[in-house]
Amino acid sequence: MEKLAAGLEKLGIKAGERELALFQIYYEELTDWNQRMNLTAITEYEKVQTLHFLDSLTVAAVWRPTESKPHPRVIDIGTGAGYRNPAEDHFPQIRLTLMDSTNKKITFLNHLKQKLGLNDIEVISGRAERAGRQQYRESYDLVVARG
């Protein structure tokens, strides 16, 4: 996880051994599950660190919790395989929700959430178009999505 650690440091995030260990477990689970169900086309060790983990955390370069919003609610729309998961350990004040419409990805995320012990993350199945008209409208301080 050297590439990830170096990239996070450039973003002003000091990743500890525990966080890097969580990302390592994440990578191992991702590649294991990806053999049975297609979660991602990118599985090479260094590319996962940069194109999945680090890329999904670049939001930290422009946004952080503030005193006026010390416990912000953040939702990741179309989360896919949820690459922000272990970042919750670095930003414990964030209340993170991962949303995807693909059931196999939701199943993987729930497994990963349990495996990594990230109990404060909410995983929901749904489409943003529908959820935005229903109970989730105006419920979050920050909405993120990767294209």
Side-chain angles (χ1 to χ4, degrees):
M1 292 288 137
E2 293 83 21
K3 278 194 174 274
L4 176 62
L8 289 174
E9 194 168 319
K10 287 180 183 177
L11 292 173
I13 300 171
K14 178 72 173 131
E17 287 183 33
R18 179 182 168 0
E19 291 165 299
L20 294 176
L22 289 175
F23 276 109
Q24 180 64 39
I25 294 167
Y26 197 132
Y27 171 76
E28 291 166 5
E29 292 296 313
L30 176 68
T31 54
D32 180 52
W33 278 60
N34 204 60
Q35 292 176 16
R36 295 184 298 280
M37 61 177 71
N38 183 27
L39 297 170
T40 179
I42 300 169
T43 58
E44 182 183 302
Y45 189 63
E46 288 191 357
K47 286 186 178 180
V48 168
Q49 289 178 65
T50 57
L51 299 177
H52 285 322
F53 297 154
L54 187 58
D55 183 62
S56 70
L57 295 169
T58 57
V59 68
V62 295
W63 183 86
R64 301 278 172 110
T66 64
E67 283 187 31
S68 64
K69 290 279 187 184
H71 300 285
R73 293 198 63 199
V74 179
I75 187 167
D76 183 8
I77 302 290
T79 196
Y83 304 113
R84 289 177 182 84
N85 269 337
E88 187 265 350
D89 195 54
H90 187 76
F91 301 107
Q93 67 276 31
I94 291 174
R95 293 175 294 174
L96 181 61
T97 300
L98 305 173
M99 175 188 275
D100 203 278
S101 63
T102 307
N103 284 332
K104 67 181 178 182
K105 292 176 183 172
I106 294 298
T107 300
F108 172 71
L109 291 171
N110 280 318
H111 162 77
L112 196 62
K113 176 182 159 180
Q114 182 178 13
K115 178 92 176 176
L116 299 179
L118 301 174
N119 302 318
D120 293 334
I121 293 176
E122 180 182 16
V123 177
I124 55 177
S125 177
R127 297 202 49 83
E129 303 90 333
R130 189 169 301 138
R133 285 185 243 121
Q134 297 171 350
Q135 74 268 25
Y136 297 103
R137 185 171 201 82
E138 298 182 26
S139 297
Y140 295 92
D141 301 303
L142 179 68
V143 177
V144 294
R146 292 175 62 210

